[in-house]
Amino acid sequence: MKKILALLLALCMIFALAACGETQTEEKTEEPETETTEPETETTEPETETTEPETEESDVRVAMITDYGDITDQSFNQTTYEACKEYCEANGLEFKYYKPGSDSDDDRITMIENAIEEGFNVIVMPGYAFAPAIAATAPEYEDVLFIALDVSEYDLTSAGLETLPENLYSAVYQEELCGYMAGYAAVKLGYKNLGFLGGMAVPAVIRYGYGFVQGADAAAAELGLTDVTINYAYGNQFYGDADITAAMDTWYAGGTEIVFACGGGIFTSAAEAAAKVDGKVIGVDVDQAATIDGLYGEGMTVTSAMKGLAPTVKTMLAAVQNGTFKGGVVENLGLVGTDPEANYVQLPSATTQFSDTFTLEDYQALVAAMFNGEITVSNDITVSAADLATVVTVNDLGNLK
Protein backbone atom coordinates (compact mmCIF):
# COMPACT_ATOMS: atom_id res chain seq x y z
CA MET A 1 0.00 0.00 0.00
CA LYS A 2 2.80 2.38 0.88
CA LYS A 3 4.41 1.64 -2.48
CA ILE A 4 1.18 2.53 -4.31
CA LEU A 5 0.87 5.87 -2.44
CA ALA A 6 4.50 6.75 -3.16
CA LEU A 7 3.97 6.00 -6.86
CA LEU A 8 0.87 8.21 -7.01
CA LEU A 9 2.70 11.08 -5.27
CA ALA A 10 5.58 10.88 -7.74
CA LEU A 11 3.18 10.96 -10.70
CA CYS A 12 1.44 14.09 -9.32
CA MET A 13 4.77 15.87 -8.95
CA ILE A 14 5.69 15.04 -12.56
CA PHE A 15 2.39 16.42 -13.89
CA ALA A 16 2.76 19.57 -11.80
CA LEU A 17 6.26 20.22 -13.12
CA ALA A 18 5.07 19.67 -16.69
CA ALA A 19 2.25 22.14 -16.19
CA CYS A 20 4.65 24.77 -14.80
CA GLY A 21 6.97 24.25 -17.70
CA GLU A 22 4.17 24.82 -20.20
CA THR A 23 3.08 28.02 -18.42
CA GLN A 24 6.62 29.41 -18.34
CA THR A 25 7.09 28.57 -22.01
CA GLU A 26 3.88 30.35 -22.97
CA GLU A 27 4.84 33.43 -20.97
CA LYS A 28 8.27 33.55 -22.52
CA THR A 29 6.73 33.23 -25.98
CA GLU A 30 4.28 36.11 -25.38
CA GLU A 31 6.93 38.54 -24.13
CA PRO A 32 8.88 38.73 -27.40
CA GLU A 33 5.60 39.34 -29.27
CA THR A 34 4.90 42.31 -27.02
CA GLU A 35 8.45 43.63 -27.48
CA THR A 36 8.31 43.36 -31.26
CA THR A 37 5.08 45.35 -31.49
CA GLU A 38 6.42 48.24 -29.41
CA PRO A 39 9.15 49.26 -31.89
CA GLU A 40 6.53 49.22 -34.68
CA THR A 41 4.50 51.78 -32.72
CA GLU A 42 7.59 53.93 -32.16
CA THR A 43 8.62 53.92 -35.81
CA THR A 44 5.24 55.29 -36.89
CA GLU A 45 5.51 58.35 -34.64
CA PRO A 46 8.23 60.16 -36.63
CA GLU A 47 6.25 59.58 -39.83
CA THR A 48 3.27 61.32 -38.26
CA GLU A 49 5.45 64.24 -37.17
CA THR A 50 7.01 64.74 -40.57
CA THR A 51 3.64 64.83 -42.29
CA GLU A 52 2.27 67.50 -39.97
CA PRO A 53 1.99 70.96 -41.61
CA GLU A 54 5.23 72.89 -41.46
CA THR A 55 3.18 75.95 -40.54
CA GLU A 56 2.21 74.85 -37.04
CA GLU A 57 3.12 77.43 -34.42
CA SER A 58 5.57 75.10 -32.76
CA ASP A 59 7.40 74.65 -36.05
CA VAL A 60 7.74 78.33 -37.04
CA ARG A 61 10.77 80.16 -35.66
CA VAL A 62 11.45 83.61 -37.09
CA ALA A 63 14.82 85.35 -37.38
CA MET A 64 15.46 88.82 -38.76
CA ILE A 65 18.87 89.93 -40.05
CA THR A 66 19.58 93.67 -39.87
CA ASP A 67 21.30 95.65 -42.60
CA TYR A 68 23.04 99.04 -42.70
CA GLY A 69 22.72 99.72 -39.01
CA ASP A 70 20.53 98.38 -36.26
CA ILE A 71 16.96 98.22 -35.03
CA THR A 72 16.88 101.87 -33.98
CA ASP A 73 17.49 103.38 -37.43
CA GLN A 74 13.93 104.80 -37.74
CA SER A 75 13.77 103.15 -41.15
CA PHE A 76 13.98 99.69 -42.72
CA ASN A 77 15.60 97.81 -39.87
CA GLN A 78 13.45 99.26 -37.12
CA THR A 79 10.19 98.87 -39.02
CA THR A 80 10.97 95.30 -40.01
CA TYR A 81 12.12 94.37 -36.51
CA GLU A 82 9.05 95.85 -34.85
CA ALA A 83 6.70 94.14 -37.32
CA CYS A 84 8.37 90.74 -36.79
CA LYS A 85 8.37 91.15 -33.02
CA GLU A 86 4.76 92.27 -32.86
CA TYR A 87 3.52 89.44 -35.05
CA CYS A 88 5.52 86.76 -33.27
CA GLU A 89 4.47 87.91 -29.81
CA ALA A 90 0.82 87.99 -30.87
CA ASN A 91 1.01 84.49 -32.36
CA GLY A 92 3.25 82.74 -29.86
CA LEU A 93 6.22 82.35 -32.21
CA GLU A 94 9.87 82.43 -31.21
CA PHE A 95 11.69 85.44 -32.65
CA LYS A 96 15.27 86.70 -32.63
CA TYR A 97 17.19 89.27 -34.61
CA TYR A 98 20.82 89.11 -35.71
CA LYS A 99 23.12 92.03 -36.48
CA PRO A 100 26.04 91.44 -38.87
CA GLY A 101 29.42 92.54 -37.62
CA SER A 102 29.94 94.76 -40.65
CA ASP A 103 28.34 95.86 -43.89
CA SER A 104 29.58 92.90 -45.93
CA ASP A 105 28.11 89.94 -47.80
CA ASP A 106 30.21 87.53 -45.74
CA ASP A 107 28.84 88.85 -42.46
CA ARG A 108 25.26 88.78 -43.72
CA ILE A 109 25.74 85.18 -44.85
CA THR A 110 27.28 84.30 -41.49
CA MET A 111 24.28 85.71 -39.61
CA ILE A 112 21.84 83.81 -41.82
CA GLU A 113 23.74 80.56 -41.28
CA ASN A 114 23.97 81.20 -37.53
CA ALA A 115 20.22 81.67 -37.35
CA ILE A 116 19.60 78.45 -39.27
CA GLU A 117 22.05 76.52 -37.12
CA GLU A 118 20.14 77.73 -34.06
CA GLY A 119 16.94 76.28 -35.49
CA PHE A 120 15.25 79.29 -37.05
CA ASN A 121 13.44 78.33 -40.24
CA VAL A 122 12.03 81.68 -41.41
CA ILE A 123 14.58 84.38 -42.26
CA VAL A 124 13.44 87.99 -42.81
CA MET A 125 15.84 90.41 -44.52
CA PRO A 126 15.29 94.11 -45.31
CA GLY A 127 17.18 95.77 -48.15
CA TYR A 128 18.61 95.18 -51.61
CA ALA A 129 22.09 94.52 -50.21
CA PHE A 130 20.92 91.06 -49.11
CA ALA A 131 20.84 89.81 -52.71
CA PRO A 132 24.30 88.12 -52.64
CA ALA A 133 23.58 86.56 -49.23
CA ILE A 134 20.26 85.21 -50.51
CA ALA A 135 21.92 83.80 -53.62
CA ALA A 136 24.44 82.01 -51.41
CA THR A 137 22.02 80.56 -48.86
CA ALA A 138 18.46 80.15 -50.19
CA PRO A 139 19.26 77.37 -52.70
CA GLU A 140 21.35 75.53 -50.09
CA TYR A 141 18.77 75.58 -47.28
CA GLU A 142 15.67 74.39 -49.08
CA ASP A 143 13.74 73.73 -45.86
CA VAL A 144 14.14 77.34 -44.71
CA LEU A 145 11.79 80.08 -45.91
CA PHE A 146 13.33 83.42 -46.90
CA ILE A 147 11.34 86.68 -46.86
CA ALA A 148 13.12 89.64 -48.45
CA LEU A 149 12.04 93.27 -48.57
CA ASP A 150 13.11 95.55 -51.41
CA VAL A 151 15.29 92.95 -53.13
CA SER A 152 14.48 93.03 -56.84
CA GLU A 153 14.85 90.26 -59.39
CA TYR A 154 17.58 92.35 -61.00
CA ASP A 155 19.45 92.43 -57.67
CA LEU A 156 19.13 88.66 -57.34
CA THR A 157 20.19 87.80 -60.89
CA SER A 158 23.09 90.25 -60.62
CA ALA A 159 24.14 88.34 -57.51
CA GLY A 160 24.29 85.12 -59.53
CA LEU A 161 20.88 83.61 -58.80
CA GLU A 162 19.76 82.19 -62.14
CA THR A 163 16.31 81.05 -61.00
CA LEU A 164 14.24 82.13 -58.02
CA PRO A 165 14.11 79.31 -55.45
CA GLU A 166 10.70 78.17 -54.25
CA ASN A 167 11.61 79.01 -50.65
CA LEU A 168 12.14 82.72 -51.43
CA TYR A 169 9.57 85.51 -51.46
CA SER A 170 10.66 89.08 -52.11
CA ALA A 171 8.58 92.25 -52.09
CA VAL A 172 9.51 95.36 -54.02
CA TYR A 173 7.51 98.56 -53.98
CA GLN A 174 6.34 101.17 -56.45
CA GLU A 175 8.23 103.99 -54.76
CA GLU A 176 7.54 106.30 -57.66
CA LEU A 177 3.86 106.38 -56.61
CA CYS A 178 4.35 107.58 -53.02
CA GLY A 179 7.18 109.82 -54.23
CA TYR A 180 4.67 111.37 -56.63
CA MET A 181 2.18 111.86 -53.79
CA ALA A 182 4.81 113.64 -51.69
CA GLY A 183 5.92 115.97 -54.50
CA TYR A 184 2.34 116.76 -55.46
CA ALA A 185 1.41 117.48 -51.84
CA ALA A 186 4.44 119.74 -51.29
CA VAL A 187 3.59 122.05 -54.18
CA LYS A 188 -0.14 122.02 -53.42
CA LEU A 189 0.71 123.02 -49.84
CA GLY A 190 2.48 126.10 -51.18
CA TYR A 191 6.16 125.13 -51.33
CA LYS A 192 7.97 126.29 -54.46
CA ASN A 193 11.63 125.74 -53.62
CA LEU A 194 12.06 122.03 -53.10
CA GLY A 195 14.97 119.67 -52.60
CA PHE A 196 15.50 115.95 -53.05
CA LEU A 197 18.33 114.41 -51.01
CA GLY A 198 18.67 110.73 -51.85
CA GLY A 199 20.90 108.25 -50.09
CA MET A 200 22.66 106.12 -52.68
CA ALA A 201 21.50 106.18 -56.30
CA VAL A 202 20.04 102.67 -56.22
CA PRO A 203 16.82 101.87 -58.12
CA ALA A 204 14.45 102.23 -55.15
CA VAL A 205 15.84 105.65 -54.19
CA ILE A 206 15.86 106.81 -57.81
CA ARG A 207 12.21 105.82 -58.20
CA TYR A 208 11.34 107.83 -55.10
CA GLY A 209 13.09 110.87 -56.53
CA TYR A 210 11.68 110.57 -60.01
CA GLY A 211 8.17 110.18 -58.63
CA PHE A 212 8.74 113.26 -56.46
CA VAL A 213 9.72 115.30 -59.50
CA GLN A 214 6.69 114.13 -61.48
CA GLY A 215 4.28 114.88 -58.63
CA ALA A 216 5.68 118.35 -58.06
CA ASP A 217 5.56 119.01 -61.80
CA ALA A 218 1.93 117.89 -62.07
CA ALA A 219 0.85 120.10 -59.17
CA ALA A 220 2.75 123.08 -60.57
CA ALA A 221 1.10 122.58 -63.95
CA GLU A 222 -2.36 122.43 -62.35
CA LEU A 223 -1.68 125.66 -60.45
CA GLY A 224 -0.15 127.38 -63.49
CA LEU A 225 3.21 127.81 -61.77
CA THR A 226 6.47 128.15 -63.67
CA ASP A 227 8.72 129.18 -60.79
CA VAL A 228 8.96 125.87 -58.91
CA THR A 229 12.52 124.56 -58.55
CA ILE A 230 14.00 121.32 -57.22
CA ASN A 231 17.60 120.86 -56.08
CA TYR A 232 18.32 117.20 -56.78
CA ALA A 233 21.26 115.26 -55.30
CA TYR A 234 22.44 112.02 -53.68
CA GLY A 235 24.56 111.81 -50.56
CA ASN A 236 26.15 108.58 -51.82
CA GLN A 237 25.51 107.01 -48.41
CA PHE A 238 22.57 106.12 -46.17
CA TYR A 239 23.49 108.30 -43.21
CA GLY A 240 24.02 111.97 -42.56
CA ASP A 241 27.33 113.59 -41.71
CA ALA A 242 28.95 116.99 -41.40
CA ASP A 243 29.68 117.29 -45.13
CA ILE A 244 26.10 116.56 -46.17
CA THR A 245 24.75 118.83 -43.45
CA ALA A 246 26.96 121.62 -44.83
CA ALA A 247 25.47 121.06 -48.28
CA MET A 248 21.97 121.20 -46.81
CA ASP A 249 22.87 124.43 -45.01
CA THR A 250 23.71 125.88 -48.40
CA TRP A 251 20.40 124.70 -49.87
CA TYR A 252 18.26 126.13 -47.09
CA ALA A 253 20.26 129.37 -46.97
CA GLY A 254 19.73 129.68 -50.71
CA GLY A 255 15.96 129.54 -50.40
CA THR A 256 15.10 125.84 -50.30
CA GLU A 257 11.97 125.48 -48.17
CA ILE A 258 11.51 121.74 -47.94
CA VAL A 259 13.71 118.68 -48.61
CA PHE A 260 12.61 115.13 -49.31
CA ALA A 261 15.27 113.24 -47.33
CA CYS A 262 15.22 109.81 -48.90
CA GLY A 263 17.62 107.18 -47.62
CA GLY A 264 17.77 105.70 -44.13
CA GLY A 265 19.47 107.98 -41.63
CA ILE A 266 20.42 110.65 -44.15
CA PHE A 267 17.44 112.64 -42.90
CA THR A 268 19.59 113.81 -39.99
CA SER A 269 21.60 116.12 -42.22
CA ALA A 270 18.52 117.65 -43.81
CA ALA A 271 16.81 118.07 -40.46
CA GLU A 272 19.86 119.61 -38.77
CA ALA A 273 20.07 122.22 -41.52
CA ALA A 274 16.31 122.79 -41.57
CA ALA A 275 16.23 123.41 -37.82
CA LYS A 276 18.52 126.43 -38.21
CA VAL A 277 16.14 128.29 -40.53
CA ASP A 278 12.72 126.85 -39.60
CA GLY A 279 12.80 124.72 -42.73
CA LYS A 280 10.75 121.62 -43.50
CA VAL A 281 11.47 118.03 -44.46
CA ILE A 282 9.63 115.05 -45.95
CA GLY A 283 10.30 111.63 -44.44
CA VAL A 284 10.61 108.30 -46.22
CA ASP A 285 9.77 104.58 -45.96
CA VAL A 286 7.81 104.99 -42.71
CA ASP A 287 6.00 107.84 -40.99
CA GLN A 288 9.01 109.74 -39.64
CA ALA A 289 7.09 112.65 -38.12
CA ALA A 290 7.46 111.51 -34.52
CA THR A 291 11.17 110.81 -34.90
CA ILE A 292 12.17 113.93 -36.82
CA ASP A 293 9.91 116.33 -34.94
CA GLY A 294 10.96 114.82 -31.63
CA LEU A 295 14.63 115.38 -32.40
CA TYR A 296 14.60 118.65 -34.34
CA GLY A 297 11.40 120.53 -33.62
CA GLU A 298 7.64 120.15 -33.68
CA GLY A 299 6.06 120.58 -37.10
CA MET A 300 9.22 120.06 -39.16
CA THR A 301 7.93 116.96 -41.00
CA VAL A 302 5.28 117.91 -43.56
CA THR A 303 4.61 114.32 -44.65
CA SER A 304 6.37 111.02 -45.36
CA ALA A 305 6.46 108.89 -48.51
CA MET A 306 5.79 105.47 -47.03
CA LYS A 307 5.85 101.90 -48.24
CA GLY A 308 4.17 99.03 -46.45
CA LEU A 309 7.09 97.17 -44.91
CA ALA A 310 5.19 96.20 -41.77
CA PRO A 311 2.05 94.97 -43.59
CA THR A 312 4.24 92.94 -45.93
CA VAL A 313 6.07 91.25 -43.05
CA LYS A 314 2.87 90.41 -41.19
CA THR A 315 1.10 89.17 -44.32
CA MET A 316 3.95 86.86 -45.23
CA LEU A 317 4.44 85.50 -41.71
CA ALA A 318 0.73 84.74 -41.63
CA ALA A 319 1.14 82.96 -44.97
CA VAL A 320 3.92 80.84 -43.47
CA GLN A 321 1.67 79.87 -40.58
CA ASN A 322 -1.42 79.04 -42.60
CA GLY A 323 0.41 77.22 -45.37
CA THR A 324 -0.15 79.74 -48.16
CA PHE A 325 3.45 80.96 -48.47
CA LYS A 326 4.15 81.67 -52.14
CA GLY A 327 7.79 81.34 -53.01
CA GLY A 328 9.76 81.72 -56.19
CA VAL A 329 8.41 85.24 -56.79
CA VAL A 330 9.34 88.88 -56.57
CA GLU A 331 6.10 90.77 -56.03
CA ASN A 332 5.75 94.43 -56.99
CA LEU A 333 3.46 96.09 -54.42
CA GLY A 334 1.69 99.39 -54.86
CA LEU A 335 -1.95 100.46 -54.92
CA VAL A 336 -4.61 97.88 -54.15
CA GLY A 337 -7.61 100.22 -54.08
CA THR A 338 -8.89 103.74 -53.66
CA ASP A 339 -8.59 103.63 -49.87
CA PRO A 340 -5.18 105.21 -49.10
CA GLU A 341 -4.84 103.30 -45.83
CA ALA A 342 -5.10 99.93 -47.61
CA ASN A 343 -2.28 100.55 -50.06
CA TYR A 344 1.34 99.45 -49.87
CA VAL A 345 2.49 102.96 -50.85
CA GLN A 346 0.95 106.03 -49.24
CA LEU A 347 1.25 109.23 -47.24
CA PRO A 348 0.35 109.13 -43.53
CA SER A 349 -3.16 110.53 -43.22
CA ALA A 350 -2.74 111.18 -39.50
CA THR A 351 0.42 113.31 -39.60
CA THR A 352 0.49 114.94 -43.06
CA GLN A 353 0.11 118.70 -42.64
CA PHE A 354 -3.03 119.12 -44.70
CA SER A 355 -4.37 122.63 -45.33
CA ASP A 356 -7.08 124.42 -47.27
CA THR A 357 -4.98 124.08 -50.42
CA PHE A 358 -4.45 120.34 -50.01
CA THR A 359 -6.96 118.58 -47.80
CA LEU A 360 -7.34 114.97 -46.73
CA GLU A 361 -10.14 114.72 -49.28
CA ASP A 362 -7.80 116.05 -51.98
CA TYR A 363 -5.29 113.36 -51.06
CA GLN A 364 -7.96 110.66 -51.21
CA ALA A 365 -9.05 111.93 -54.63
CA LEU A 366 -5.43 111.88 -55.82
CA VAL A 367 -5.04 108.25 -54.76
CA ALA A 368 -8.30 107.29 -56.45
CA ALA A 369 -7.18 108.95 -59.69
CA MET A 370 -3.86 107.10 -59.55
CA PHE A 371 -5.55 103.77 -58.89
CA ASN A 372 -8.10 104.29 -61.67
CA GLY A 373 -5.39 105.11 -64.19
CA GLU A 374 -6.31 108.75 -64.64
CA ILE A 375 -2.83 109.62 -63.40
CA THR A 376 0.16 107.60 -64.55
CA VAL A 377 3.65 107.78 -63.10
CA SER A 378 6.75 106.71 -64.98
CA ASN A 379 9.16 104.31 -63.28
CA ASP A 380 11.77 104.63 -66.03
CA ILE A 381 15.07 105.23 -64.27
CA THR A 382 17.14 105.25 -67.46
CA VAL A 383 16.34 108.92 -68.05
CA SER A 384 17.40 111.92 -65.96
CA ALA A 385 15.26 113.63 -63.34
CA ALA A 386 15.08 116.74 -65.50
CA ASP A 387 13.65 114.70 -68.37
CA LEU A 388 10.53 114.08 -66.27
CA ALA A 389 9.78 117.77 -65.68
CA THR A 390 7.67 119.96 -67.94
CA VAL A 391 7.17 123.17 -65.93
CA VAL A 392 9.46 122.84 -62.90
CA THR A 393 13.21 123.45 -62.99
CA VAL A 394 15.40 120.58 -61.78
CA ASN A 395 18.95 121.39 -60.70
CA ASP A 396 20.70 118.03 -60.91
CA LEU A 397 23.70 118.18 -58.59
CA GLY A 398 24.75 114.52 -58.80
CA ASN A 399 26.52 113.02 -55.77
CA LEU A 400 27.40 115.35 -52.93
CA LYS A 401 30.23 113.01 -51.87
Side-chain angles (χ1 to χ4, degrees), residues 109-374:
I109 292 170
T110 297
M111 289 300 100
I112 292 173
E113 291 178 337
N114 286 353
I116 294 172
E117 288 174 3
E118 292 182 15
F120 290 92
N121 53 12
V122 180
I123 310 296
V124 182
M125 303 153 292
Y128 75 97
F130 274 98
I134 292 171
T137 57
E140 181 177 352
Y141 298 99
E142 297 179 354
D143 294 333
V144 176
L145 300 180
F146 292 79
I147 299 172
L149 305 175
D150 246 18
V151 184
S152 70
E153 190 165 356
Y154 171 80
D155 296 327
L156 294 167
T157 54
S158 297
L161 200 59
E162 296 181 359
T163 58
L164 297 177
E166 291 300 316
N167 58 335
L168 169 66
Y169 169 88
S170 183
V172 294
Y173 301 88
Q174 297 172 35
E175 294 93 354
E176 69 276 4
L177 300 185
C178 52
Y180 183 101
M181 297 173 194
Y184 185 91
V187 174
K188 283 287 188 173
L189 289 169
Y191 299 100
K192 292 184 178 181
N193 298 312
L194 286 62
F196 173 80
L197 172 63
M200 298 179 69
V202 297
V205 176
I206 297 173
R207 287 193 295 269
Y208 267 129
Y210 283 15
F212 184 72
V213 170
Q214 292 175 75
D217 190 70
E222 287 181 18
L223 296 172
L225 301 175
T226 58
D227 57 347
V228 175
T229 62
I230 303 175
N231 284 334
Y232 194 102
Y234 299 98
N236 206 29
Q237 61 191 39
F238 285 112
Y239 54 90
D241 65 14
D243 292 334
I244 297 176
T245 300
M248 293 300 99
D249 285 336
T250 301
W251 283 17
Y252 281 106
T256 296
E257 301 164 289
I258 186 168
V259 173
F260 180 17
C262 178
I266 205 167
F267 75 85
T268 58
S269 282
E272 286 173 10
K276 300 171 186 175
V277 294
D278 197 26
K280 303 295 183 180
V281 299
I282 295 172
V284 73
D285 291 335
V286 298
D287 184 358
Q288 291 189 310
T291 299
I292 295 175
D293 290 7
L295 292 172
Y296 300 100
E298 190 68 28
M300 180 179 289
T301 312
V302 172
T303 190
S304 295
M306 307 191 311
K307 47 191 174 187
L309 302 174
T312 305
V313 169
K314 294 177 182 179
T315 297
M316 293 313 300
L317 290 180
V320 171
Q321 277 198 284
N322 62 34
T324 60
F325 178 86
K326 50 182 179 181
V329 297
V330 175
E331 193 168 19
N332 194 13
L333 303 176
L335 303 179
V336 297
T338 58
D339 177 10
E341 302 294 329
N343 293 321
Y344 282 100
V345 287
Q346 58 180 266
L347 303 181
S349 298
T351 59
T352 295
Q353 297 177 10
F354 295 110
S355 72
D356 292 342
T357 59
F358 186 67
T359 65
L360 174 61
E361 291 72 23
D362 292 333
Y363 166 55
Q364 293 169 338
L366 173 67
V367 172
M370 295 173 74
F371 178 74
N372 293 329
E374 299 169 36

